[in-house]
PDB file of all heavy atoms in Angstrom:
ATOM      1  N   GLU X  21     112.233  96.303  98.081  1.00 92.00           N
ATOM      2  CA  GLU X  21     110.891  95.695  98.469  1.00 92.00           C
ATOM      3  C   GLU X  21     109.948  96.026  97.543  1.00 92.00           C
ATOM      4  O   GLU X  21     109.009  95.130  97.100  1.00 92.00           O
ATOM      5  CB  GLU X  21     110.540  96.255  99.940  1.00 92.00           C
ATOM      6  CG  GLU X  21     111.409  95.782 101.019  1.00 92.00           C
ATOM      7  CD  GLU X  21     110.707  95.993 102.375  1.00 92.00           C
ATOM      8  OE1 GLU X  21     109.500  95.818 102.357  1.00 92.00           O
ATOM      9  OE2 GLU X  21     111.453  96.291 103.284  1.00 92.00           O
ATOM     10  N   VAL X  22     109.786  97.274  96.940  1.00 94.00           N
ATOM     11  CA  VAL X  22     108.782  97.631  95.917  1.00 94.00           C
ATOM     12  C   VAL X  22     109.056  96.772  94.629  1.00 94.00           C
ATOM     13  O   VAL X  22     108.050  96.315  94.074  1.00 94.00           O
ATOM     14  CB  VAL X  22     108.811  99.085  95.692  1.00 94.00           C
ATOM     15  CG1 VAL X  22     107.849  99.424  94.463  1.00 94.00           C
ATOM     16  CG2 VAL X  22     108.262  99.830  96.933  1.00 94.00           C
ATOM     17  N   GLY X  23     110.277  96.702  94.279  1.00 95.00           N
ATOM     18  CA  GLY X  23     110.599  95.975  93.055  1.00 95.00           C
ATOM     19  C   GLY X  23     110.172  94.485  93.194  1.00 95.00           C
ATOM     20  O   GLY X  23     109.596  93.882  92.222  1.00 95.00           O
ATOM     21  N   GLU X  24     110.457  93.886  94.308  1.00 95.00           N
ATOM     22  CA  GLU X  24     110.034  92.469  94.486  1.00 95.00           C
ATOM     23  C   GLU X  24     108.566  92.318  94.462  1.00 95.00           C
ATOM     24  O   GLU X  24     108.065  91.299  93.977  1.00 95.00           O
ATOM     25  CB  GLU X  24     110.627  91.966  95.773  1.00 95.00           C
ATOM     26  CG  GLU X  24     112.134  91.775  95.878  1.00 95.00           C
ATOM     27  CD  GLU X  24     112.534  91.260  97.194  1.00 95.00           C
ATOM     28  OE1 GLU X  24     111.686  91.044  98.093  1.00 95.00           O
ATOM     29  OE2 GLU X  24     113.744  90.995  97.378  1.00 95.00           O
ATOM     30  N   LEU X  25     107.822  93.306  95.010  1.00 96.00           N
ATOM     31  CA  LEU X  25     106.304  93.144  94.963  1.00 96.00           C
ATOM     32  C   LEU X  25     105.733  93.201  93.556  1.00 96.00           C
ATOM     33  O   LEU X  25     104.749  92.679  93.229  1.00 96.00           O
ATOM     34  CB  LEU X  25     105.723  94.241  95.839  1.00 96.00           C
ATOM     35  CG  LEU X  25     104.233  94.254  96.000  1.00 96.00           C
ATOM     36  CD1 LEU X  25     103.814  92.950  96.666  1.00 96.00           C
ATOM     37  CD2 LEU X  25     103.822  95.495  96.789  1.00 96.00           C
ATOM     38  N   ALA X  26     106.537  93.959  92.646  1.00 97.00           N
ATOM     39  CA  ALA X  26     105.975  94.128  91.285  1.00 97.00           C
ATOM     40  C   ALA X  26     106.386  93.036  90.300  1.00 97.00           C
ATOM     41  O   ALA X  26     105.848  92.965  89.185  1.00 97.00           O
ATOM     42  CB  ALA X  26     106.492  95.454  90.795  1.00 97.00           C
ATOM     43  N   VAL X  27     107.239  92.135  90.862  1.00 96.00           N
ATOM     44  CA  VAL X  27     107.654  91.047  89.962  1.00 96.00           C
ATOM     45  C   VAL X  27     106.508  90.020  89.699  1.00 96.00           C
ATOM     46  O   VAL X  27     105.679  89.695  90.592  1.00 96.00           O
ATOM     47  CB  VAL X  27     108.815  90.175  90.549  1.00 96.00           C
ATOM     48  CG1 VAL X  27     109.136  88.908  89.847  1.00 96.00           C
ATOM     49  CG2 VAL X  27     110.093  90.992  90.652  1.00 96.00           C
ATOM     50  N   GLY X  28     106.236  89.599  88.471  1.00 95.00           N
ATOM     51  CA  GLY X  28     105.238  88.663  88.086  1.00 95.00           C
ATOM     52  C   GLY X  28     103.836  89.152  88.003  1.00 95.00           C
ATOM     53  O   GLY X  28     102.991  88.339  88.106  1.00 95.00           O
ATOM     54  N   LEU X  29     103.604  90.447  87.688  1.00 95.00           N
ATOM     55  CA  LEU X  29     102.222  90.889  87.554  1.00 95.00           C
ATOM     56  C   LEU X  29     101.597  90.172  86.385  1.00 95.00           C
ATOM     57  O   LEU X  29     102.194  90.032  85.264  1.00 95.00           O
ATOM     58  CB  LEU X  29     102.355  92.450  87.282  1.00 95.00           C
ATOM     59  CG  LEU X  29     102.775  93.330  88.317  1.00 95.00           C
ATOM     60  CD1 LEU X  29     102.771  94.843  87.872  1.00 95.00           C
ATOM     61  CD2 LEU X  29     101.904  93.177  89.624  1.00 95.00           C
ATOM     62  N   ASP X  30     100.348  89.707  86.505  1.00 93.00           N
ATOM     63  CA  ASP X  30      99.719  89.118  85.450  1.00 93.00           C
ATOM     64  C   ASP X  30      98.641  90.055  84.858  1.00 93.00           C
ATOM     65  O   ASP X  30      98.428  91.241  85.255  1.00 93.00           O
ATOM     66  CB  ASP X  30      99.167  87.725  85.864  1.00 93.00           C
ATOM     67  CG  ASP X  30      98.155  87.824  86.967  1.00 93.00           C
ATOM     68  OD1 ASP X  30      97.529  88.851  87.087  1.00 93.00           O
ATOM     69  OD2 ASP X  30      98.029  86.817  87.687  1.00 93.00           O
ATOM     70  N   GLU X  31      97.783  89.466  84.041  1.00 91.00           N
ATOM     71  CA  GLU X  31      96.800  90.353  83.264  1.00 91.00           C
ATOM     72  C   GLU X  31      95.714  91.005  84.076  1.00 91.00           C
ATOM     73  O   GLU X  31      95.246  92.018  83.553  1.00 91.00           O
ATOM     74  CB  GLU X  31      96.203  89.490  82.170  1.00 91.00           C
ATOM     75  CG  GLU X  31      95.074  88.396  82.735  1.00 91.00           C
ATOM     76  CD  GLU X  31      95.929  87.159  83.159  1.00 91.00           C
ATOM     77  OE1 GLU X  31      97.036  87.049  83.002  1.00 91.00           O
ATOM     78  OE2 GLU X  31      95.140  86.144  83.655  1.00 91.00           O
ATOM     79  N   ASN X  32      95.437  90.572  85.229  1.00 92.00           N
ATOM     80  CA  ASN X  32      94.431  91.225  86.050  1.00 92.00           C
ATOM     81  C   ASN X  32      94.996  91.900  87.258  1.00 92.00           C
ATOM     82  O   ASN X  32      94.247  92.298  88.195  1.00 92.00           O
ATOM     83  CB  ASN X  32      93.305  90.355  86.401  1.00 92.00           C
ATOM     84  CG  ASN X  32      93.656  89.230  87.315  1.00 92.00           C
ATOM     85  OD1 ASN X  32      94.907  88.963  87.507  1.00 92.00           O
ATOM     86  ND2 ASN X  32      92.712  88.738  88.137  1.00 92.00           N
ATOM     87  N   ASP X  33      96.268  92.051  87.376  1.00 95.00           N
ATOM     88  CA  ASP X  33      96.851  92.690  88.469  1.00 95.00           C
ATOM     89  C   ASP X  33      96.923  94.184  88.378  1.00 95.00           C
ATOM     90  O   ASP X  33      97.062  94.749  87.246  1.00 95.00           O
ATOM     91  CB  ASP X  33      98.328  92.159  88.704  1.00 95.00           C
ATOM     92  CG  ASP X  33      98.286  90.792  89.346  1.00 95.00           C
ATOM     93  OD1 ASP X  33      97.349  90.466  90.057  1.00 95.00           O
ATOM     94  OD2 ASP X  33      99.252  90.027  89.169  1.00 95.00           O
ATOM     95  N   ALA X  34      96.927  94.938  89.432  1.00 96.00           N
ATOM     96  CA  ALA X  34      97.180  96.381  89.474  1.00 96.00           C
ATOM     97  C   ALA X  34      98.019  96.638  90.643  1.00 96.00           C
ATOM     98  O   ALA X  34      97.678  96.419  91.788  1.00 96.00           O
ATOM     99  CB  ALA X  34      95.784  97.110  89.690  1.00 96.00           C
ATOM    100  N   PHE X  35      99.210  97.176  90.308  1.00 97.00           N
ATOM    101  CA  PHE X  35     100.182  97.492  91.347  1.00 97.00           C
ATOM    102  C   PHE X  35      99.945  98.969  91.743  1.00 97.00           C
ATOM    103  O   PHE X  35     100.058  99.851  90.887  1.00 97.00           O
ATOM    104  CB  PHE X  35     101.724  97.440  90.829  1.00 97.00           C
ATOM    105  CG  PHE X  35     102.756  97.679  91.742  1.00 97.00           C
ATOM    106  CD1 PHE X  35     103.379  96.648  92.467  1.00 97.00           C
ATOM    107  CD2 PHE X  35     103.263  98.886  91.964  1.00 97.00           C
ATOM    108  CE1 PHE X  35     104.308  96.834  93.318  1.00 97.00           C
ATOM    109  CE2 PHE X  35     104.181  99.093  92.933  1.00 97.00           C
ATOM    110  CZ  PHE X  35     104.716  98.118  93.635  1.00 97.00           C
ATOM    111  N   VAL X  36      99.650  99.247  93.011  1.00 97.00           N
ATOM    112  CA  VAL X  36      99.236 100.508  93.499  1.00 97.00           C
ATOM    113  C   VAL X  36     100.327 101.166  94.292  1.00 97.00           C
ATOM    114  O   VAL X  36     100.803 100.547  95.401  1.00 97.00           O
ATOM    115  CB  VAL X  36      97.950 100.460  94.257  1.00 97.00           C
ATOM    116  CG1 VAL X  36      97.451 101.857  94.726  1.00 97.00           C
ATOM    117  CG2 VAL X  36      96.854  99.753  93.449  1.00 97.00           C
ATOM    118  N   ILE X  37     100.743 102.440  94.004  1.00 96.00           N
ATOM    119  CA  ILE X  37     101.786 103.098  94.717  1.00 96.00           C
ATOM    120  C   ILE X  37     101.390 104.473  94.848  1.00 96.00           C
ATOM    121  O   ILE X  37     100.742 105.128  93.923  1.00 96.00           O
ATOM    122  CB  ILE X  37     103.131 102.821  94.166  1.00 96.00           C
ATOM    123  CG1 ILE X  37     104.213 103.367  94.954  1.00 96.00           C
ATOM    124  CG2 ILE X  37     103.115 103.504  92.643  1.00 96.00           C
ATOM    125  CD1 ILE X  37     105.654 103.023  94.424  1.00 96.00           C
ATOM    126  N   PHE X  38     101.808 105.182  96.002  1.00 95.00           N
ATOM    127  CA  PHE X  38     101.517 106.530  96.172  1.00 95.00           C
ATOM    128  C   PHE X  38     102.880 107.231  96.387  1.00 95.00           C
ATOM    129  O   PHE X  38     103.476 107.288  97.480  1.00 95.00           O
ATOM    130  CB  PHE X  38     100.664 106.719  97.510  1.00 95.00           C
ATOM    131  CG  PHE X  38      99.367 106.009  97.510  1.00 95.00           C
ATOM    132  CD1 PHE X  38      99.299 104.610  97.993  1.00 95.00           C
ATOM    133  CD2 PHE X  38      98.235 106.529  97.102  1.00 95.00           C
ATOM    134  CE1 PHE X  38      98.113 103.994  97.973  1.00 95.00           C
ATOM    135  CE2 PHE X  38      97.023 105.835  97.056  1.00 95.00           C
ATOM    136  CZ  PHE X  38      96.935 104.518  97.472  1.00 95.00           C
ATOM    137  N   PRO X  39     103.320 107.866  95.282  1.00 95.00           N
ATOM    138  CA  PRO X  39     104.750 108.356  95.332  1.00 95.00           C
ATOM    139  C   PRO X  39     105.070 109.572  96.340  1.00 95.00           C
ATOM    140  O   PRO X  39     106.202 109.802  96.640  1.00 95.00           O
ATOM    141  CB  PRO X  39     104.990 108.905  93.888  1.00 95.00           C
ATOM    142  CG  PRO X  39     103.936 108.162  93.139  1.00 95.00           C
ATOM    143  CD  PRO X  39     102.725 108.009  93.993  1.00 95.00           C
ATOM    144  N   GLU X  40     103.964 110.202  96.780  1.00 92.00           N
ATOM    145  CA  GLU X  40     104.214 111.267  97.716  1.00 92.00           C
ATOM    146  C   GLU X  40     104.651 110.727  99.070  1.00 92.00           C
ATOM    147  O   GLU X  40     105.354 111.472  99.864  1.00 92.00           O
ATOM    148  CB  GLU X  40     102.947 112.120  97.927  1.00 92.00           C
ATOM    149  CG  GLU X  40     102.529 112.847  96.717  1.00 92.00           C
ATOM    150  CD  GLU X  40     101.099 113.441  96.851  1.00 92.00           C
ATOM    151  OE1 GLU X  40     100.174 112.652  96.750  1.00 92.00           O
ATOM    152  OE2 GLU X  40     100.919 114.715  97.036  1.00 92.00           O
ATOM    153  N   GLY X  41     104.213 109.598  99.464  1.00 86.00           N
ATOM    154  CA  GLY X  41     104.545 108.946 100.695  1.00 86.00           C
ATOM    155  C   GLY X  41     103.862 109.427 101.902  1.00 86.00           C
ATOM    156  O   GLY X  41     104.116 108.955 103.063  1.00 86.00           O
ATOM    157  N   GLY X  42     102.906 110.236 101.675  1.00 83.00           N
ATOM    158  CA  GLY X  42     102.022 110.782 102.821  1.00 83.00           C
ATOM    159  C   GLY X  42     101.063 111.817 102.370  1.00 83.00           C
ATOM    160  O   GLY X  42     101.082 112.277 101.198  1.00 83.00           O
ATOM    161  N   ASN X  43     100.132 112.282 103.289  1.00 83.00           N
ATOM    162  CA  ASN X  43      99.196 113.276 102.941  1.00 83.00           C
ATOM    163  C   ASN X  43      99.864 114.653 102.738  1.00 83.00           C
ATOM    164  O   ASN X  43     100.794 114.937 103.391  1.00 83.00           O
ATOM    165  CB  ASN X  43      98.136 113.358 104.043  1.00 83.00           C
ATOM    166  CG  ASN X  43      97.464 112.083 104.265  1.00 83.00           C
ATOM    167  OD1 ASN X  43      97.126 111.327 103.277  1.00 83.00           O
ATOM    168  ND2 ASN X  43      97.218 111.707 105.449  1.00 83.00           N
ATOM    169  N   PHE X  44      99.296 115.417 101.903  1.00 85.00           N
ATOM    170  CA  PHE X  44      99.745 116.778 101.733  1.00 85.00           C
ATOM    171  C   PHE X  44      99.395 117.692 102.893  1.00 85.00           C
ATOM    172  O   PHE X  44      98.273 117.623 103.385  1.00 85.00           O
ATOM    173  CB  PHE X  44      99.051 117.389 100.457  1.00 85.00           C
ATOM    174  CG  PHE X  44      99.472 118.902 100.203  1.00 85.00           C
ATOM    175  CD1 PHE X  44     100.558 119.257  99.492  1.00 85.00           C
ATOM    176  CD2 PHE X  44      98.710 119.874 100.690  1.00 85.00           C
ATOM    177  CE1 PHE X  44     100.877 120.509  99.237  1.00 85.00           C
ATOM    178  CE2 PHE X  44      98.990 121.262 100.625  1.00 85.00           C
ATOM    179  CZ  PHE X  44     100.085 121.560  99.842  1.00 85.00           C
ATOM    180  N   THR X  45     100.356 118.364 103.394  1.00 83.00           N
ATOM    181  CA  THR X  45     100.169 119.586 104.307  1.00 83.00           C
ATOM    182  C   THR X  45     101.141 120.600 103.926  1.00 83.00           C
ATOM    183  O   THR X  45     102.287 120.358 103.312  1.00 83.00           O
ATOM    184  CB  THR X  45     100.412 119.207 105.808  1.00 83.00           C
ATOM    185  OG1 THR X  45     101.820 118.792 106.058  1.00 83.00           O
ATOM    186  CG2 THR X  45      99.500 117.945 106.136  1.00 83.00           C
ATOM    187  N   PRO X  46     100.912 121.872 104.165  1.00 86.00           N
ATOM    188  CA  PRO X  46     101.859 122.944 103.716  1.00 86.00           C
ATOM    189  C   PRO X  46     103.152 122.692 104.448  1.00 86.00           C
ATOM    190  O   PRO X  46     104.254 122.973 103.775  1.00 86.00           O
ATOM    191  CB  PRO X  46     101.198 124.237 104.390  1.00 86.00           C
ATOM    192  CG  PRO X  46      99.673 123.918 104.218  1.00 86.00           C
ATOM    193  CD  PRO X  46      99.585 122.438 104.613  1.00 86.00           C
ATOM    194  N   ARG X  47     103.221 122.191 105.628  1.00 90.00           N
ATOM    195  CA  ARG X  47     104.473 121.979 106.373  1.00 90.00           C
ATOM    196  C   ARG X  47     105.300 120.903 105.724  1.00 90.00           C
ATOM    197  O   ARG X  47     106.495 121.031 105.456  1.00 90.00           O
ATOM    198  CB  ARG X  47     104.240 121.701 107.855  1.00 90.00           C
ATOM    199  CG  ARG X  47     105.519 121.435 108.620  1.00 90.00           C
ATOM    200  CD  ARG X  47     105.213 121.006 110.027  1.00 90.00           C
ATOM    201  NE  ARG X  47     106.417 120.817 110.836  1.00 90.00           N
ATOM    202  CZ  ARG X  47     106.383 120.301 112.116  1.00 90.00           C
ATOM    203  NH1 ARG X  47     105.306 120.058 112.637  1.00 90.00           N
ATOM    204  NH2 ARG X  47     107.533 120.055 112.694  1.00 90.00           N
ATOM    205  N   ARG X  48     104.565 119.789 105.387  1.00 91.00           N
ATOM    206  CA  ARG X  48     105.372 118.743 104.640  1.00 91.00           C
ATOM    207  C   ARG X  48     105.831 119.206 103.217  1.00 91.00           C
ATOM    208  O   ARG X  48     106.887 118.751 102.805  1.00 91.00           O
ATOM    209  CB  ARG X  48     104.413 117.527 104.468  1.00 91.00           C
ATOM    210  CG  ARG X  48     104.136 116.685 105.753  1.00 91.00           C
ATOM    211  CD  ARG X  48     103.285 115.613 105.539  1.00 91.00           C
ATOM    212  NE  ARG X  48     103.148 114.777 106.711  1.00 91.00           N
ATOM    213  CZ  ARG X  48     102.276 113.795 106.850  1.00 91.00           C
ATOM    214  NH1 ARG X  48     101.384 113.479 105.821  1.00 91.00           N
ATOM    215  NH2 ARG X  48     102.061 113.153 107.988  1.00 91.00           N
ATOM    216  N   ARG X  49     105.161 120.067 102.567  1.00 92.00           N
ATOM    217  CA  ARG X  49     105.523 120.587 101.384  1.00 92.00           C
ATOM    218  C   ARG X  49     106.820 121.343 101.511  1.00 92.00           C
ATOM    219  O   ARG X  49     107.767 121.135 100.704  1.00 92.00           O
ATOM    220  CB  ARG X  49     104.431 121.346 100.760  1.00 92.00           C
ATOM    221  CG  ARG X  49     104.874 122.148  99.445  1.00 92.00           C
ATOM    222  CD  ARG X  49     103.651 123.016  98.909  1.00 92.00           C
ATOM    223  NE  ARG X  49     104.055 123.798  97.732  1.00 92.00           N
ATOM    224  CZ  ARG X  49     104.557 125.004  97.813  1.00 92.00           C
ATOM    225  NH1 ARG X  49     104.848 125.567  99.058  1.00 92.00           N
ATOM    226  NH2 ARG X  49     104.933 125.711  96.719  1.00 92.00           N
ATOM    227  N   VAL X  50     106.839 122.243 102.497  1.00 94.00           N
ATOM    228  CA  VAL X  50     108.080 123.038 102.659  1.00 94.00           C
ATOM    229  C   VAL X  50     109.265 122.088 103.000  1.00 94.00           C
ATOM    230  O   VAL X  50     110.333 122.390 102.504  1.00 94.00           O
ATOM    231  CB  VAL X  50     107.840 124.113 103.803  1.00 94.00           C
ATOM    232  CG1 VAL X  50     109.131 124.796 104.154  1.00 94.00           C
ATOM    233  CG2 VAL X  50     106.730 125.173 103.371  1.00 94.00           C
ATOM    234  N   LYS X  51     109.019 121.171 103.855  1.00 94.00           N
ATOM    235  CA  LYS X  51     110.151 120.243 104.292  1.00 94.00           C
ATOM    236  C   LYS X  51     110.743 119.429 103.061  1.00 94.00           C
ATOM    237  O   LYS X  51     111.862 119.332 103.010  1.00 94.00           O
ATOM    238  CB  LYS X  51     109.687 119.383 105.409  1.00 94.00           C
ATOM    239  CG  LYS X  51     109.452 119.995 106.781  1.00 94.00           C
ATOM    240  CD  LYS X  51     109.051 119.064 107.839  1.00 94.00           C
ATOM    241  CE  LYS X  51     110.084 118.033 108.130  1.00 94.00           C
ATOM    242  NZ  LYS X  51     109.649 117.215 109.235  1.00 94.00           N
ATOM    243  N   ALA X  52     109.733 118.994 102.238  1.00 95.00           N
ATOM    244  CA  ALA X  52     110.115 118.241 101.044  1.00 95.00           C
ATOM    245  C   ALA X  52     110.905 119.074 100.127  1.00 95.00           C
ATOM    246  O   ALA X  52     111.978 118.632  99.593  1.00 95.00           O
ATOM    247  CB  ALA X  52     108.843 117.669 100.378  1.00 95.00           C
TER     248      ALA X  52
END
């Protein structure tokens, strides 16, 4: 899905992604 969304970017496009997938919390850090 992400790859399809990035197809055909033109000169004024900005593809925005958050690789963490969620907000930082100590518990999420330990689980990750």
Side-chain angles (χ1 to χ4, degrees):
E21 291 196 36
V22 170
E24 288 181 359
L25 183 62
V27 171
L29 295 179
D30 62 26
E31 68 279 355
N32 69 335
D33 283 335
F35 183 94
V36 182
I37 190 168
F38 303 89
E40 291 167 289
N43 301 320
F44 174 91
T45 66
R47 181 182 177 185
R48 285 179 177 172
R49 173 179 175 272
V50 171
K51 289 181 66 176

